[in-house]
Each structure stands twice: as structure tokens, then as C-alpha cells.
Amino acid sequence: MPGVPSGRGCDACRKQKKKCDQSKPLCARCTRLEIPCVGGGQRRFKFIEEQSVILKPKAKSTSPERASSQASGPNYVGVCWTPRSDRTMMMGAFCSALGVTDVRYDLSVYGGFLKDIPKRLGTNTALDASVEAMTNAFQGMHSLSQKRSVAALKSYGHALKTLRESLNDPAESSSANTMCAVYLMLICQGWLGGRDDRASHGEALAYLLNLISSQGRQDDFEAELVITLCVPVIVEAIGNPRIKLHPWLAKITAAHDKSIPIESIKLSNLAKFPDYFNHPEPHALGIQSTYQQIRTDLPAIKNLLQAMFEKRLITLHARYQTLYSIQLAVAVMLNTLLRLFDPTNLSLVEECVQLVDEIISVAEAAVIYRPLGSSAVPICLICAWPATDNMVKRAKMEQLVEEYSTDFPTFMWMEMAQWLQSKLEAHSLNQCLNQLSTLGIDSGWDSRLEMPKGAAAACSVM
């Protein structure tokens, strides 16, 4: 089922089946109707079923001249297909998926190393099965009703079984191909999983990455794969204290971070956030330093985004918008942690308002890149939601989260937002108890106990 090019008209004209002149920045029809013009000039792909052609011999001729030649055997019209196997068909379908350049469905958002996977097919059964599962799942990405098709779920289940067997094999468990299969299955889980399918893989990934960090030099494919896998491990470490990031992460990211010109987006700095969030008191100075660095870098990234948008560099704009979104999410959480230590700091309060407004603005602008091109936006929204007590802004963020949730129903975004709020309230309560303790006042509370509902309301800074 390969992808073939479709029309380049804007979304509005395609929906009404009208001819689009593809003018920039607005086509003539959208200009006349005064409606948004999105997608004009973009290459799109549609999927068609391949059909085999049965070769038939030519009809026999009754002419005496050809009777002798036909007597020796049938004379075929010609070869109508090339020999193929299940592997080559799978490879062709996967290459077609990789060839999609529409930023909304561009698989390169998950890493540039995906383009090197086809040459590795046939060398690892887990990788072969995961590629087949991802290809089948991708074919239903355009429609919610077809996303969880029987073929996609069947290949997903088979890939999970095959991957489990490879992970139990000591010779294959820490290979680059098996690690790549793990990553592809994480993607498929986000696409196909239901709300009850939220298995954690961070501890297993951290263990495998720790093994890889002790091995020798990596090729370019493995190096980029390992760096990519570090990100979900860091994110999961925020809520899972059993995941230890040190010292293996510093070994893996050292070479990568040297090539990053912006200090605040280096993985070594991002890896500090789990400690900052779970244990803010001993890391107060580090939180302040990282927050100021991000505040310094955000305007530069925003100006770069504006320049890319003006030059119509759509794919680059979507990628850097994802980076900008993550930076905003980290900044608003660090701001909230800093306000735990200084609730009366009006500068921090004003900066929090600006960050929340910017996150809402980015989330509204990134809608045109759904589903894959804006998959990081919900993370920003759930980080900004507990940072403000403005009910209007919270309602707006909840509306946006609900809209984005239709793309990947596996993730319970609002549950995550409420968990973040409960953690921040616990930190706020502990800060109040520490202040009372320094004044020699016995509060009667045991900070090790589960925080009662509403107990932190009096000293909450959110």
C-alpha cells in the first residue's frame, strides 16, 4: 500500500473539491471568502492498494507463418511485476511512509535515523516485526476510525511477542537493532494503545542505555538512536524515582552536547529537571541558574521561529516549535518551583503570566501541524495548567488538551496535570512546615504522611 502524490491545493479548496490556484500566502478563493488558507502548495500522499497482474499468453494466431513458433510454447506479453517477498513488500511500504513530507505526518519528527532502518531489515526479527507494526499503524493515522484496524493491532501484538523474545536473548538485548525496535514499539503504543494501556518502559530503557554507555564507540545510527531514547527516560524519571540517570547519561550525552550551541537545551541540563522537581529545596541555586539561562535563550529561539515562518520553512518551523514548546514547559515549572521559595516575588509572578500566555499562544498556532508535527504541545499545556490559578486560562488549556487528546488517546493528559499540581502542593506544604519549624512552632503535621485534601491551600503559590 504505497503512498502516491496527491493534489497541492489548500485544505479549504480540497474539502469543497474546488480548484486552488495555490497563491501565497492566501489563494484567491480563500481571499475572496475571507477564510484561513492552510496547506497550499504542500505535497500530500494518499494510499492505494497494490494489485497483482496475472500474466496471460497471447491468443493463438491462425496464420500459417506463426504456427511453427507457437507450437514450441506460449508467447508471453512480458513481465508485469518484479519478484518480491514479504520482506521487500514491508520495506517498500515503510519507505513509502518515510517518504511522506507533509509535516503533519512526517515520521522524521521521531528522529532522522529512521531513514537508515530499511538497510537493517532482515538482520533482526524484532526490528522487522516492529517496522511492520509501525507501517500498519501509520496507514490508519489519517483517520480515527481506521487507526486501530485489525491488521495494525495484529501486527502490534506479534511485534510485542517478538521483541520480548529478543530482550530475553543476551546476545540481542542490548544491540542497536533491538533498541530501535523498542523505540518503534513505544511510538506504536502511543498510536494504538487505549487509555488502559500505559505500561512503563523507562526503567528497562535506563538499564539498556546503561549497558550501552559501557560499550565502545557507536556508529552514527546508534549514536542518534541512543540520544533520542534518553529523552523519554528523562521525562519518565520525573515521576519514577527508581530511574537513575547518573552516571551513564553524562557519558552518552557528552559528545552530543558539545555540538549544541544553546546551553539550556543540552540533554545534560534537561536531565537535572527530575531532581529539581522532586527535591527542590537542596537544588534551589541550580533551579535559579537554569531558569535564568532558559529565560535568556527563549527570545533567540522565538526570533528564529519567526524567521522560519516568514521564509515558509514549514518543516523546520514545526521542529523548532517543538523545541520552543519544551523550553516553555521547563521554564514555567522552574518558575513555579522558585515561587515556592519566594511567593511574594512579583517579578516571578509576572514572568509566570507571560509564560502561560505564550504556551497558550503556541498551542493554538501549532494546531495546523497535528497530529505528529505538534505532538509535544500537550506537555506544555499540562505544565502550564498547575502554574496558574486563573480559571479562564485553565479552561482554555483544558479545551486545547481535549482537542489534542483525540490524536493520541493513550495519554491521560489532565490526570498528569493534576498529578503535577498535587506534587507542587506537597512541596508548598513542606516549605510552609519548614518555615514554621525555623520559628520554633510545632505544626503538628508529619510531612511524611499523605497530604490531606486542601491542606496546602493556605500556602499554595499556584
Side-chain angles (χ1 to χ4, degrees):
M1 186 179 286
V4 296
S6 183
R8 292 176 179 263
C10 71
D11 292 347
C13 292
R14 286 167 58 86
K15 185 175 181 180
Q16 297 297 326
K17 298 183 179 181
K18 302 292 184 181
K19 186 174 182 180
C20 180
D21 61 3
Q22 303 178 27
S23 299
K24 300 293 183 181
L26 303 175
C27 71
R29 182 173 177 273
C30 291
T31 302
R32 175 171 54 82
L33 297 177
E34 298 182 354
I35 59 177
C37 185
V38 179
Q42 293 183 7
R43 171 64 62 86
R44 298 176 177 83
F45 291 81
K46 60 183 178 180
F47 296 90
I48 59 174
E49 294 286 349
E50 290 186 282
Q51 297 180 352
S52 301
V53 179
I54 300 176
L55 297 181
K56 296 181 179 180
K58 288 183 178 179
K60 294 183 178 181
S61 173
T62 56
S63 59
E65 296 83 3
R66 298 185 180 180
S68 59
S69 63
Q70 291 178 354
S72 60
N75 184 13
Y76 288 96
V77 175
V79 178
C80 297
W81 72 78
T82 56
R84 63 179 63 188
S85 63
D86 291 341
R87 184 184 303 165
T88 58
M89 291 179 65
M90 174 186 63
M91 186 182 301
F94 184 63
C95 289
S96 296
L98 292 176
V100 176
T101 57
D102 187 333
V103 68
R104 297 171 300 175
Y105 303 101
D106 188 352
L107 289 178
S108 66
V109 69
Y110 293 110
F113 64 90
L114 264 65
K115 67 181 184 299
D116 296 323
I117 290 179
K119 66 180 69 174
R120 292 173 171 264
L121 295 177
T123 61
N124 182 281
T125 55
L127 182 60
D128 292 352
S130 63
V131 166
E132 182 179 5
M134 186 177 191
T135 304
N136 288 332
F138 180 75
Q139 293 171 1
M141 183 60 61
H142 307 79
S143 172
L144 288 176
S145 60
Q146 300 177 3
K147 183 176 290 188
R148 293 168 60 88
S149 66
V150 174
L153 293 174
K154 183 178 179 181
S155 58
Y156 176 63
H158 172 68
L160 286 176
K161 179 181 178 181
T162 307
L163 178 59
R164 191 177 300 112
E165 294 172 354
S166 293
L167 290 174
N168 290 331
D169 184 355
E172 292 287 342
S173 60
S174 61
S175 69
N177 289 336
T178 302
M179 294 286 287
C180 184
V182 172
Y183 181 58
L184 296 185
M185 293 310 296
L186 286 175
I187 297 173
C188 290
Q189 181 183 3
W191 291 356
L192 297 173
R195 292 188 178 272
D196 57 342
D197 184 11
R198 289 176 282 173
S200 172
H201 305 281
E203 291 182 65
L205 282 176
Y207 173 77
L208 294 175
L209 289 171
N210 187 24
L211 290 179
I212 289 179
S213 68
S214 61
Q215 297 176 359
R217 180 178 175 82
Q218 305 164 344
D219 58 27
D220 292 342
F221 175 87
E222 185 173 350
E224 187 175 354
L225 169 64
V226 167
I227 290 297
T228 303
L229 285 172
C230 286
V231 177
V233 174
I234 293 173
V235 173
E236 189 166 332
I238 297 173
N240 188 349
R242 294 186 299 273
I243 297 177
K244 306 300 181 183
L245 302 177
H246 309 290
W248 61 265
L249 190 136
K251 298 178 183 179
I252 290 177
T253 60
H256 174 267
D257 284 353
K258 289 180 181 179
S259 62
I260 303 299
I262 302 177
E263 186 68 25
S264 62
I265 64 175
K266 293 182 177 181
L267 280 177
S268 57
N269 287 325
L270 182 62
K272 299 175 183 177
F273 186 76
D275 287 335
Y276 288 168
F277 183 75
N278 291 302
H279 310 286
E281 290 83 1
H283 296 96
L285 293 178
I287 293 173
Q288 177 70 33
S289 175
T290 304
Y291 176 70
Q292 293 300 332
Q293 184 65 56
I294 294 178
R295 290 285 298 172
T296 301
D297 293 339
L298 280 175
I301 301 177
K302 186 175 182 179
N303 292 336
L304 186 61
L305 275 174
Q306 183 62 32
M308 291 177 179
F309 184 78
E310 293 174 353
K311 295 179 180 180
R312 306 297 293 174
L313 302 175
I314 302 301
T315 301
L316 276 177
H317 182 266
R319 299 293 179 269
Y320 274 85
Q321 190 177 69
T322 298
L323 173 63
Y324 185 57
S325 301
I326 295 174
Q327 288 293 84
L328 286 172
V330 175
V332 76
M333 293 304 297
L334 294 179
N335 176 283
T336 307
L337 292 174
L338 289 173
R339 286 186 288 129
L340 292 174
F341 305 112
D342 191 3
T344 60
N345 190 322
L346 296 181
S347 296
L348 288 175
V349 174
E350 182 179 351
E351 290 170 1
C352 182
V353 172
Q354 295 172 355
L355 288 169
V356 171
D357 289 342
E358 184 68 10
I359 287 174
I360 293 176
S361 176
V362 169
E364 291 175 334
V367 169
I368 61 175
Y369 297 143
R370 290 175 53 201
L372 302 187
S374 58
S375 54
V377 170
I379 298 177
C380 298
L381 293 170
I382 66 171
C383 289
W385 187 83
T388 180
D389 56 2
N390 186 309
M391 292 297 103
V392 175
K393 293 181 181 179
R394 278 196 170 190
K396 180 61 178 177
M397 287 186 280
E398 290 170 7
Q399 177 186 350
L400 288 168
V401 167
E402 183 178 359
E403 184 177 354
Y404 277 96
S405 296
T406 60
D407 296 331
F408 306 105
T410 304
F411 303 104
M412 305 288 288
W413 296 116
M414 287 312 302
E415 284 188 9
M416 298 180 193
Q418 292 165 1
W419 177 83
L420 288 174
Q421 180 174 1
S422 66
K423 287 283 290 185
L424 291 169
E425 287 177 347
H427 290 323
S428 179
L429 176 60
N430 288 334
Q431 187 67 19
C432 289
L433 295 177
N434 291 337
Q435 292 174 358
L436 291 175
S437 178
T438 58
L439 296 175
I441 302 174
D442 184 6
S443 64
W445 289 100
D446 186 348
S447 61
R448 294 172 297 176
L449 298 177
E450 183 179 355
M451 184 180 61
K453 295 181 180 180
C459 54
S460 176
V461 299
M462 294 171 289

